[in-house]
Amino acid sequence: MSFEEEIGAQAPLGFYDPLGLLADADAERFNRLRYVELKHGRISMLAVLGHIVTTAGVRLPGDIDYEGTSFDSVPSGIAALSAVPTAGLFQIFAFVGILELFVMRDLTGEGEFVGDFRNDFFDLGWDVFSPEEQERKRAIELNQGRAAMMGILALMVHEMLPSHDPYMINALIGAPVDFNAGF
């Protein structure tokens, strides 16, 4: 089966499968990989936005636990994993698991395409768009998800570099930032 005409196979690369994951794949395999790509892209878009917002100093008010650890005291980025209490990390993973199992999927079986989770519940006017506009918007989401996956990976790698500054451009222009020193 050929996937050269699928959404996402667009300029400048066209259909790009350097590892040959779709060499002998059928539509079911393609749909599974597209579903995973969309899910990781959506999570990555949220992760990049969360990284930018918390780096800008925006935090929830109050405390993260009963011992008085404030949200303001939790650093941004990967360093936050060591500052959040174990019970808090468990709650985050449990919440994500509940979303994965019971919410973020095609509950009604009426999804028009892979990754369509509207479920006759959450629809912000998708049906008013023409089929061409719907396809364009799906391609935009796919490409922004791909960019966000690369972006969050780069932010994590840059945090682990000796400068500990995920926004390396700061050091390159002569204005290095101590990333988790606060504002």
Side-chain angles (χ1 to χ4, degrees), residues 13-107:
L13 295 177
F15 179 70
Y16 185 67
D17 183 21
L19 300 178
L21 297 174
L22 296 171
D24 297 323
D26 57 1
E28 184 178 342
R29 171 87 173 140
F30 177 83
N31 287 339
R32 171 68 182 145
L33 291 174
R34 176 55 49 93
Y35 171 79
V36 171
E37 181 181 20
L38 280 167
K39 179 172 37 168
H40 284 89
R42 290 169 179 170
I43 292 168
S44 296
M45 286 187 270
L46 290 171
V48 168
L49 180 62
H51 198 287
I52 291 169
V53 168
T54 57
T55 300
V58 177
R59 299 289 196 282
L60 293 172
D63 296 334
I64 195 169
D65 60 15
Y66 291 120
E67 282 76 40
T69 307
S70 69
F71 284 104
D72 286 338
S73 68
V74 176
S76 296
I78 294 174
L81 293 175
S82 62
V84 174
T86 305
L89 290 175
F90 175 75
Q91 290 172 17
I92 292 169
F93 286 116
F95 179 68
V96 170
I98 289 169
L99 289 177
E100 180 73 18
L101 293 173
F102 301 109
V103 179
M104 301 306 294
R105 59 191 188 107
D106 185 7
L107 298 171

Side-chain angles (χ1 to χ4, degrees), residues 72-151:
D72 286 338
S73 68
V74 176
S76 296
I78 294 174
L81 293 175
S82 62
V84 174
T86 305
L89 290 175
F90 175 75
Q91 290 172 17
I92 292 169
F93 286 116
F95 179 68
V96 170
I98 289 169
L99 289 177
E100 180 73 18
L101 293 173
F102 301 109
V103 179
M104 301 306 294
R105 59 191 188 107
D106 185 7
L107 298 171
T108 62
E110 298 174 2
E112 295 177 21
F113 49 86
V114 175
D116 181 5
F117 299 151
R118 289 176 291 155
N119 295 313
D120 294 329
F121 173 71
F122 188 73
D123 190 353
L124 298 175
W126 179 255
D127 295 330
V128 302
F129 297 119
S130 68
E132 295 81 19
E133 185 69 9
Q134 288 178 351
E135 185 173 319
R136 188 178 83 78
K137 289 185 176 293
R138 288 177 56 206
I140 288 170
E141 178 191 21
L142 190 60
N143 281 327
Q144 288 179 346
R146 290 170 176 170
M149 285 187 270
M150 295 297 107

